[in-house]
Amino acid sequence: MTPEVTPDATPDATPDRPPAVPSELHAVAPAVTTGRRPPRRRRLVYRVYGFVAVLAIAIMAALLILPRYTRGPRYMEPHAALVQYLIERWSVKNPPQLDTVMARIEPRMRGKLTLFDAGGKVLRSNTLPPLDAPTKDETRNLVNAKWSLDWGRIVVRSDDGSLIGVYAPTRPGFPWSYVVPLGAMILVLVGLASIWFSRRLARPLDQLANAARQFGAGDITARANLMLADEVGDVGRAFDDMADRTARLLRSQRQLMGDVSHELRTPLARIRVALELAAEDPVAAGDVLSDVGADLDEIDQLIGDILTTARLDGDHAKIDREPTSVVELADRAGRRFCARHPGRTLERALGDDRAIPCDPLLLRRALDNLLDNAAKYSDAGTKVTLAVRPDDEPGRNTVAFEIVDHGIGMSAAELGHAFTPFWRADDSRTRKTGGVGLGLALARRIARAHGGDVTLSSLPGQGTTARLEVPLT
C-alpha cells in the first residue's frame, strides 16, 4: 500500500529552491491599495544614534553633576582634618607670627577662612565680610569633637580651644575644558557605532522585506535566505519556512485542480457516451447504461471526500457521536470491500465486540479509504487482512483497526509525506490506480476528530500496515 499522491515534478525544481511557477500564478496576490499613505520612512541609523547619544550624555552628566549635590557633609572630612591641623599649629605660635603665617598661605587657600578666639572675636579673615561665627549648635558639637560639618562650611577648633576656624571651601567651576572634548569624542564614537549597528541590522531586515514584497506580489520562489545566528535570522528562517509551506500548498492546489478534473472527466465521458447511445439506439445502449450508476457513485465519492476533508480541516472539528459496535463497523467495511473488489481475499480477525462513541459514517469512510488503498497497491492474488485489536492497558483504553497488505510498500521518505493532502508518490501509480491523494489524509483527519490517529508502517516490496486507533470512551 502506498500513498495516493505525487509531488510536482517540474523540470526546474532543485533541493534548495522550489519549482518555478507559471507566470499566471504571479497574479495570485495583486497589490492591494487601502487609500492610506504609507508612513514616512525614518532612517534606522538616526534613531539608533539619537537614542544612544542621549543615553551617553545623560550618563556623563549624572557622573559629573550628581556627586556635587548628593554627597553628604562627611565628604568634607579630609578638608576638615587639614584645616584643623593648621589651626592647631597656629594656636601654639605667638600671636604676632599669626599674621605672617596667614599672609604666606592665604594665596594658596582654595576657600574662605575666618579665625575666631574662644570668645568669638574675629582675629583674622581672608574675606570681607568675615564668615559668620560658629552657631550654638556648632559650638556644642565642638565640645566633644574637633570639627563640625555642614553643607559648604567647616568649623574646627584647636586642642586647647583657644582658636576656632570657620572654613568655606570654594566649589570648583564646571569643568568645560574637560567635558566638551569628552562629549564630542563620545558623540563621534556613538555615531560610528550606530552606523555599524544600523547597517548590520537594517541589511537583513531590508532583505527580508524585499523577499516578503516579492512573495506577496506572486513570486512564490522568493526567499530571505538569512544565514544569521540571532533573532533576525530566526525571523528570516520562519519566513522561508512559511513561504515553503505556502508554495507547496499552491502547487498542491494546482495539482488538485488537475486531478479532480481528470477524475471527473472519465466517468462524465462514459455517461455522455451512454446517453448518446441511448438517444440513437436505446436497446443497444442497455449494457452501457447499467454502468452509469457506478460512474455517478464514483463522482459522488470524489466530491464527498473533498467536502469531508474541508469540513474536518482544523483541530476543533465537530462530529456527531453515537455508541457503535466496532465489529459491526469492521464487518460493514469488509462487505463493501468484497463488493467493490470482487475476487480479492479479505481475511478478518474481529475479536471481541465493543461499543465506542463515534460518527459511524465518518469512521466507516476512514476504514473504506484504508481498505481501498490496500487494494490499489497490492496484487489481486494477495490477501488483505482487517483486524480489530482492543487495548485495555492502563492509560490506553483504545481500540485499533489494522489493515495489512502485502503490496509494493513504501520507503521512509514516502511515509513522511503519506498523509499530506493531494501529495502522491508516483505519477505512474496515479494513472494506474486513480485517486487525488485524499484517502490517507481524510482517514487521519477522521481519526483525529475522534481523538485518535492513523499510523503507517511499511517496507518496500513487503507491504504496509495501516493502524487506525480511536478511544473506547
Side-chain angles (χ1 to χ4, degrees), residues 295-310:
D295 293 331
L296 292 174
D297 290 341
E298 184 177 344
I299 295 174
D300 183 67
Q301 181 182 0
L302 175 61
I303 296 175
D305 282 349
I306 295 174
L307 294 177
T308 304
T309 301

